[in-house]
Amino acid sequence: MGSARVEKEVAVPAQGRREALETGAESDGALVIDGVCKSYEGFVLKDVGLELPRGYIMGLIGPNGAGKTTLIKLILNLVRREAGSIRVLGLDNVTHEAEIKSRIGYVPDEPRYHPDITLENLKSATAPFYPSWSEERFQALASEFELSLGKKFKTLSHGTKTRFSLALALSHGAELIVLDEPTSGLDPVFRRRLLDVLAGILQDERFSILYSTHITSDLERTADFVTFLRDGQVVFSRPKDEVIGRWGVVRGGREILDAEARAFFEGVREREHGFEGLTSRVEAARQRFGDRVVIDRASLDDIMVLMGRGER
Amino acid sequence: MRILISNASPDPIYEQIVQQVRAQILSGDLSEGDLLPSIRKLAKDLQISVITTKRAYEELEREGFINTVGGKGTFVAAQNPEFLREKRMKAVEEKLADAVDEAQLLGVGPDQLIEMLRLLYAEDE
């Protein structure tokens, strides 16, 4: 396992290295992932790294099958990583698994509980696991999310299951909230409310949020950092403002798309009547192509769709 | 403080905040010592990222429009005297332009107008 790690530090025996990292844990971020690998039949998560400082929200974006859920399961140690390191709130997520789980609020993409149990009973069964459980907070969220606690789990819609799961996750003082596709299947009204709830959590700068989604409009405005995962690899992981507003989509006729022009773009999509190109050099593109093209600011969707396309 | 963010604006969001806060300080809608919302509160209100808001505040602070007092909050700074002067000079210019327009309607030339100004100054002294 140790040999597969690509490390910046000088090679140290695994045990000693871990101890060395443990000191200075206080200064560590909410989530620090480095060189993480995991392979399944037909799927490889390769050398994944990212860093989420405390007090911020990171969007984890990527098409379906990019590895978002696998990465989240690795963070929670629901599946075993094959290489690399994952530190949650300064602690190794395997050696400190129990403590970390009580400090993470996890909302799975498809919450699963026993179908015949009422929400009230599910809550009562969950609360004792968390020393910092706040019944008051749970009740407030239950009413805010319009949850009928007498209902059986199986009678809930997908959206309500997510809301219930979110209420549980937010009621035990978790410092890192991990949401896996929380808004798929939710209407725009609740999606907006969810963003409000999340921004409310971030009023306290000790808290952090990792939010995976393929509905990028949820994150376009509110995310502080964006990590783009594709085919099991990180395409980029950086502050959102360095992406949105700096990248542009250039649209023009195919006749101007020669090899030299192509080199300008991080991704190109050709259509019958023209091309779309993604570039981080918007000003240079404007000068080069002038009024033969139109240039718009790239949305996260544009970036997700175009990045790396048509490479040669 | 009133801030309206447009997604369609060519200006980035942080720049929109800077422009609007700056305009409200220069117009006197916000005055020295006024408390601004915290970075995190403003980010929540506007449904934008904390980093974006932080960047706007840093820019305003760098330009001398606001001050952050540790543990107390962010306040509108004592106005930059140069800006204030510039702004007031502009007001003078506008009023003079009005006077010139009015004078031209009456066929009053520059010499006569300057003479009128001299008289007005003399009256004040």
Side-chain angles (χ1 to χ4, degrees), chain A residues 195-262:
Chain A
L195 292 177
D196 254 347
V197 171
L198 298 182
I201 295 167
L202 287 184
Q203 296 303 294
D204 186 329
E205 50 195 70
R206 287 170 304 162
F207 297 146
S208 322
I209 298 168
L210 180 71
Y211 185 124
S212 106
T213 186
H214 61 266
I215 305 173
T216 54
S217 59
D218 286 345
L219 296 164
E220 203 100 342
R221 277 174 68 153
T222 48
D224 293 298
F225 296 89
V226 175
T227 296
F228 177 19
L229 208 58
R230 192 181 52 199
D231 299 332
Q233 283 183 289
V234 172
V235 180
F236 61 75
S237 180
R238 54 173 94 156
K240 185 204 64 193
D241 288 356
E242 286 181 14
V243 181
I244 301 251
R246 288 208 197 163
W247 291 53
V249 176
V250 179
R251 294 189 177 85
R254 289 172 70 175
E255 72 281 357
I256 61 175
L257 200 62
D258 55 22
E260 210 182 316
R262 233 172 242 283

Side-chain angles (χ1 to χ4, degrees), chain B residues 25-46:
Chain B
I25 292 174
L26 286 178
S27 71
D29 288 344
L30 286 174
S31 38
E32 184 183 342
D34 282 357
L35 178 64
L36 267 56
S38 74
I39 286 172
R40 283 171 190 273
K41 179 154 189 315
L42 185 62
K44 179 176 190 289
D45 283 352
L46 298 176

Side-chain angles (χ1 to χ4, degrees), chain A residues 17-38:
Chain A
R17 187 176 159 272
R18 194 176 294 145
E19 277 162 14
L21 283 173
E22 225 100 288
T23 45
E26 282 309 304
S27 62
D28 270 352
L31 179 62
V32 183
I33 298 179
D34 187 22
V36 163
C37 300
K38 175 78 189 175

Side-chain angles (χ1 to χ4, degrees), chain A residues 25-93:
Chain A
E26 282 309 304
S27 62
D28 270 352
L31 179 62
V32 183
I33 298 179
D34 187 22
V36 163
C37 300
K38 175 78 189 175
S39 54
Y40 291 111
E41 182 94 37
F43 174 77
V44 180
L45 201 66
K46 202 174 146 201
D47 199 22
V48 168
L50 60 84
E51 191 167 346
L52 172 62
R54 289 191 204 209
Y56 295 103
I57 175 165
M58 174 182 280
L60 183 60
I61 65 169
N64 290 329
K68 303 190 293 291
T69 297
T70 301
L71 181 59
I72 284 174
K73 286 186 172 163
L74 284 163
I75 293 167
L76 295 159
N77 203 30
L78 297 175
V79 296
R80 287 253 162 192
R81 63 177 183 254
E82 286 155 10
S85 73
I86 299 179
R87 302 179 67 78
V88 177
L89 303 161
L91 302 169
D92 181 272
N93 78 325

Side-chain angles (χ1 to χ4, degrees), chain A residues 94-138:
Chain A
V94 177
T95 48
H96 294 267
E97 181 171 358
E99 183 188 346
I100 283 170
K101 279 190 173 157
S102 77
R103 291 168 73 187
I104 289 185
Y106 170 49
V107 180
D109 54 349
E110 272 182 57
R112 284 196 195 89
Y113 294 99
H114 192 290
D116 285 317
I117 302 184
T118 63
L119 300 191
E120 179 65 40
N121 287 339
L122 281 172
K123 183 266 297 177
S124 302
T126 307
F129 286 103
Y130 298 104
S132 53
W133 179 266
S134 163
E135 186 61 25
E136 198 184 332
R137 171 96 167 126
F138 177 81

